[in-house]
Amino acid sequence: MLLTRISFILGCGCMINAINVFADEVSFMGNHFPVFDMIPEKSTGLDKIFVLKDLEDVSICVDVEEFKNAKWSMFGNMGAAYAVPIENVLNIDKKSMLPSISGNKGYIVESDSKKYIFWIVDYSTNRFEINNISFDNYQDCESTIIEFDGSAYPIYYYTVNGRQEILSRDIKLSYNNLIWNEDYNRFDQLPLIKNLSSISKKIILVPPMYCISNIKISGDRFLEFWDSCRMWVSRNNNPYSISIESTVINLDAENNTDNEIKDNVDFLGGSAPCTLLFSSYATDGVAHVEWQMSDDIDFQNISYRLNEQDFEYTFTKEGTTYVRCIGSNADGSCSVYGKTYVVNVGTSELKIPNIFSPDGDGINDEWKVAYRSIIDFQCWIFDRQGHELFYCDNPAVGWNGRYNNKIVKPGVYYYVINAIGSDGKHYKKSGDINIIFDRNIGR
């Protein structure tokens, strides 16, 4: 019995050592090239699929010891139920041989106790040829269209039930593309490989190509098996399609204080003033970037525009603001939108304590207001004689009970506060501050 060969090939023309296996019951004679064989899915009812480079002078036989009184039949797209008996079978030297083969057909060899069903593909009628590959003159924003000039049509075979299946050619299409890296906030250029079962006149890549790259097509897997792979490399493209990503950083996150009133909600904004840094990241074809801000989610009323890659903005107005970036290519035929960020700034609030004890015990040692969305703030503290002991213009700052670097005496002091909230509310507050000390703790 002849041996068939399965070769594992990495890339065009690069062959790992072949692994020789017996084709169990079937062997071929007269073939000039190894026979590619594979075991299909059980649901096909086929035991094997054989691919021969050509059928000239090729015969097929089975061992009579395995198939005594063998009967041969052949079927096509109607399935095994419509198989036609084959008469020109020769029995020579303990082998039952079919001296001529019809390609792209199914065969049944059966005896009293055994049946073997297989499909033969004539590759000479399904050749893979490449004449040229190029980028289509018409491109759209959502895909890259490649023109293919050659022959790489689907290779069909049929199951025992007459169901049409496609035998994949495993054509390799390789190119570079930009892939968004969320871990590092950047587009990385990476090599991509797609395996194509077949090719018609056009290849459509989704997502499209975002960077300058050529296209390489090589294969198919049957030519690779026979060490005769075809390859074509295109010219470089000029990216037509575009993509854009964006990020936001809260610059006030590290400056949040313990006396700021916070909502238990994870969103951008919160208490004004809130400063955010927005950054955009674009692919090669992006020629223009614009940031937009609006008070409606559909951006019907755009209140702010900026043609910058990055921008920093301080939100001081109560309410909801929507922020997004838009990228477009040089002629404006393609536009893409980044994420829409929702910035919520809460209503203002101001709570003023009237007692504290700056005695160094770590509890209530500092007088501070509790606040939210206060965008303008002035605070004065006086003693009973009207002397100014403390002034600040930041609600995050508190009074430690000291004047001229010394703790003041226990008693009543007075505060005056003028403030404005992000919602336009004006605060004019004044009142007493009581300073007390624990007798058990020394001053």
Side-chain angles (χ1 to χ4, degrees), residues 390-405:
F390 175 79
Y391 170 80
C392 72
D393 57 7
N394 184 348
V397 176
W399 182 38
N400 60 7
R402 292 178 177 271
Y403 179 67
N404 288 335
N405 207 31

Side-chain angles (χ1 to χ4, degrees), residues 135-146 175-179 187 203-213 237-245 281-288 327-337:
F135 294 94
D136 196 311
N137 290 328
Y138 171 78
Q139 297 289 336
D140 62 38
C141 300
E142 305 300 325
S143 62
T144 297
I145 304 172
I146 301 165
Y175 59 99
N176 293 331
N177 209 357
L178 295 175
I179 307 297
F187 281 100
I203 304 170
I204 299 177
L205 299 181
V206 179
M209 297 174 66
Y210 295 125
C211 63
I212 296 174
S213 175
N237 73 317
N238 290 314
Y240 182 85
S241 302
I242 56 176
S243 182
I244 197 167
E245 296 285 347
Y281 307 85
T283 57
D284 293 354
V286 174
H288 309 285
S328 58
N329 57 5
D331 62 5
S333 55
C334 289
S335 296
V336 290
Y337 296 86

Side-chain angles (χ1 to χ4, degrees), residues 194-208:
K194 293 183 179 294
N195 289 326
L196 305 179
S197 175
S198 59
I199 305 176
S200 58
K201 293 298 183 183
K202 293 182 184 293
I203 304 170
I204 299 177
L205 299 181
V206 179

